Each structure stands twice: as C-alpha cells, then as structure tokens.
Amino acid sequence: LTNIGAVYSDLGEKQEALKYFNQALPIRRAVGDKGGEATTLTNIGAVYSDLGEKQEALKYFNQALPIRRAVGDREGEATTLNNIGLVYDSIGEKQEALKYYNQALPIRRAVPDKRGEATTLNNIGLVYDSIGEKQEALKYYNQALPIYRAVGDREGEATTFNNIGSVYLSLGEKQEALKYFNQALPIIRAVGNRKGEARTLNNIGLVYDSIGEKQEALKYYNQALPIYRAVGDREGEANTLNNIGSVYDSLGEKQEALKYYNQALPILRAVGDREGEANTLNNIGSVYLSLGEKQEALKYYNQALPIIRAVGDRGVEAITLSNIGSVYLSLGEKQEALKYGNAVLEAPPPLLAAEPQLSSISSKRLETRFEEPAGWFHTKKEKYISFDSRFVTWLFTPLQTSPRKVERL
C-alpha cells in the first residue's frame, strides 16, 4: 500500500496517494511496525506539504519524529528534521528552519548519509541566501558541491551550480553567475530534468538580459518557454512570458511587450502569484504610459497597488506609488502627483530602500522518506530602488517591475 501510494504521489495524484497511505497507517500500527509507521506518517506529511497544507504536514512530521528516535533510526530522524525545516522555510520562519536543519546536519554526518548531508547543506545555504547573507550561503553551497560530485548525484550537483550562480547574480557578478549556470545546463539535460532545464535556460537569459545582450536573452527565454509549457509549469511559463515582455519593452517594441505581458497576467492570477500579478500590472501600466495612454496606465497601476500592499512588498509598493505620481504629473495634476510623491517620501526607510527578495521554488523528491534537495532557478527581473533617488527619480521616472525569481530544481 505504501509503495502504491508513493507511485501515485510521484505521478502527481496526491489525493490517490493519501488514500493508500491512510490505508497503510493503521495496518502498520496494528502489527507494531514502528519504523513503517514513521515512514508512512512521513509520506502523508510530504503529500500535505506538496498540497500546500503546511500545518497538516507539520502535524504528521512531528508524529514521525519521536518514533524515529525511539526505534533508533538516525537516518530517518535526520530526514524528518530536514523535512520539518523545509516546512518552516516555506512558510517564512527562517530561523526555525535553520534550527531543524542544524539538528539534521550532524546526524547525517554521523550516520553517515553523504547525499543527505549535501541536501541539508544546500537547504541551509538557501535560508542564508533568502535572508540576504550571501557569503554565508556560498559557504554552505560550496560544502555541498563536492559531496554531490563524490556520491555521483548529478542532479544535486546541477542544483548547487544553479544556487551558486544565483548568489553571484544577486551580487552583480554576472560573468561568474553565467559560468555556474552554464555548468548546470548540460548536467540537467543529461539527467532529463526538463523543468530544471527550463529554469536554467531562463536564468542564463536573465544574465544576458542584465548585461544588455537582449537578443541573446530572448534566445534563451524562447528555449525555456516551450519546455515550461510541455511540463505544465504554469508559474515558470508566466515568469518567462514576463521576461520576454520586458525585453521587448526595453527594445521599444511596446505592442510586442504588451502581447507577452497580457499572456502572463491570467496565468499568474490562475496560479495565485499575487506579487507576480501586481508586477505585471505595473509593467502593462508602464507600457501604456510610454504610449501616451495615461488613463489606461492609471487603470493598471491602480489595480497593482492594493495587491502589492496585500502581499507586503514595500519596495514594489514604492514603485507603484511613484508610477501613479508620474501619470498625474504628466497630466498636469500636480497636487495629486505630490500626494503620491509624499506617500513615498513620508514612508519609513524600508519602503524606499527595500530590495526585492529572491524567492525560491524547491523541487521535491518523494521517496519512502520524503526528501527535498532544494535549488534555485528563475529570477524575476526588477529595477532596484535607491534610497537616495527620492522625489525627483520617483516622480519623473516611471519604474518597471517584473517577476524576479531564481528558481530551484
């Protein structure tokens, strides 16, 4: 029953997987198979995590953990600690995630479980990466990389190359980022990870985009897009559409940009990516403003503003306020323009200086014990806002936002 459940889970049929795991659980308990009980609890938790029901996932992982400890299953204990850390990581409780990862790591070293050790090192690196401690992130990624190579885990190696590349990209070291992304790509292709291939192609496109090589960026984005569609990765598809739109926008091909932004928007709404939706609304507004269609621009900016406030991205909120102010200024409505300019200026520093955060999508590898080597790919492009730019930049330069995600395998 457990194996059948695992197959359904791998096929994406999560409810069917739950049905079999829930049949297996009372049988394991009835025959006193404590190890099997813990494995089944872990698998149920993994399915709930995949379904986005994180608290339910925690409930099952926390039932599995003391059983793992009671039966002396050190490897299973480390796996469960790692999984609990992953849940806390996914709900934004980064310090709690670190607490569990740092409990898992010495156990994995002691067992020894080298592949598991590399996975946990990667996960710790991801946390530091997400909280802006880039050098600390690199330290952990660079510990994970030789272990993945030593155990022959090619996918883990490629994931780590991508993670390192993403750090260098965020540090502005574009050529170094490209070097790591280009090392990841042939490995990802060799292991047949189509989604990872699309994400890596997208990342390479982002680097070329950021250094002004727009046609080269389009080449990579256009390779990523059909793969995202083929594997059914709707969020990846939407973000790549947005990136393509951004390139056309920067090249002055405004109608072509609109075509891609308008393809991205309904997908972002469908997958519930509120931040991406607001960024795309902002981009569409900026295109209409550049075309002189000011009321149309206002319509899109005003749709973006409440969404971005709801998700709490203060940097993009400042961009949107600035963009609305720009429109009113161009319409000659100076008092209205000042109102929005002052909303930016009177805000506390985080609204002015907030740097967009890189968000991650981790891949999940459900085994009899749920394991997850996390890795990043897929960056949403976005213009940074300087604290010193203040009023003149805010009100006279409409700014653009596009989804910025470096995705993980």
Side-chain angles (χ1 to χ4, degrees), residues 60-333:
Y60 282 92
F61 290 149
N62 282 320
Q63 287 180 66
L65 185 58
I67 300 173
R68 298 284 195 200
R69 287 171 168 160
V71 300
D73 181 358
R74 296 285 280 161
E75 187 174 353
E77 179 186 353
T79 295
T80 307
L81 287 164
N82 186 73
N83 290 345
I84 293 170
L86 284 164
V87 174
Y88 280 117
D89 197 350
S90 71
I91 62 178
E93 297 190 29
K94 303 299 184 179
Q95 294 304 321
E96 197 69 9
L98 278 178
K99 184 178 89 175
Y100 282 93
Y101 291 151
N102 283 319
Q103 288 179 67
L105 186 58
I107 299 172
R108 287 186 146 168
R109 285 173 167 159
V111 168
D113 173 6
K114 299 302 284 181
R115 182 177 279 106
E117 179 186 349
T119 295
T120 301
L121 287 165
N122 225 335
N123 289 344
I124 294 171
L126 287 168
V127 173
Y128 282 118
D129 208 341
S130 70
I131 62 177
E133 298 189 30
K134 303 299 183 180
Q135 295 303 324
E136 197 69 10
L138 278 178
K139 184 179 87 175
Y140 283 93
Y141 293 151
N142 282 318
Q143 288 180 66
L145 186 58
I147 300 173
Y148 277 131
R149 284 173 166 163
V151 299
D153 186 339
R154 298 284 280 160
E155 191 165 355
E157 181 184 353
T159 295
T160 309
F161 277 137
N162 267 288
N163 290 350
I164 294 170
S166 72
V167 172
Y168 282 118
L169 185 57
S170 69
L171 292 171
E173 298 186 34
K174 311 293 175 67
Q175 294 302 324
E176 198 68 10
L178 201 55
K179 183 180 87 175
Y180 283 94
F181 291 147
N182 280 323
Q183 287 181 77
L185 186 58
I187 301 172
I188 287 297
R189 284 174 166 159
V191 300
N193 184 337
R194 295 284 281 161
K195 185 181 288 191
E197 180 184 353
R199 291 171 173 178
T200 308
L201 288 164
N202 188 71
N203 284 353
I204 294 171
L206 286 165
V207 177
Y208 282 117
D209 200 346
S210 70
I211 61 178
E213 296 190 29
K214 302 299 183 179
Q215 294 303 324
E216 198 69 9
L218 278 178
K219 185 179 89 175
Y220 283 94
Y221 292 151
N222 282 318
Q223 288 180 67
L225 186 58
I227 301 173
Y228 277 129
R229 286 172 169 160
V231 300
D233 185 341
R234 299 284 280 162
E235 188 174 5
E237 178 187 352
N239 287 320
T240 302
L241 286 165
N242 223 336
N243 289 342
I244 294 170
S246 179
V247 172
Y248 282 118
D249 201 350
S250 68
L251 292 172
E253 299 186 34
K254 302 300 182 179
Q255 294 302 326
E256 198 68 9
L258 278 178
K259 184 177 89 174
Y260 283 94
Y261 290 150
N262 281 319
Q263 288 180 67
L265 187 58
I267 300 171
L268 291 163
R269 285 171 170 160
V271 300
D273 184 348
R274 299 284 280 162
E275 184 181 1
E277 179 186 351
N279 290 337
T280 305
L281 288 165
N282 249 316
N283 289 347
I284 294 171
S286 292
V287 172
Y288 279 118
L289 184 57
S290 70
L291 293 171
E293 298 186 34
K294 296 172 185 180
Q295 293 302 326
E296 198 68 8
L298 267 183
K299 184 178 88 174
Y300 282 93
Y301 291 148
N302 282 320
Q303 287 180 66
L305 186 57
I307 299 171
I308 213 62
R309 282 176 166 159
V311 300
D313 189 327
R314 295 175 68 76
V316 179
E317 181 184 346
I319 290 175
T320 309
L321 288 165
S322 172
N323 288 347
I324 295 170
S326 297
V327 178
Y328 281 118
L329 190 65
S330 69
L331 290 168
E333 298 185 32

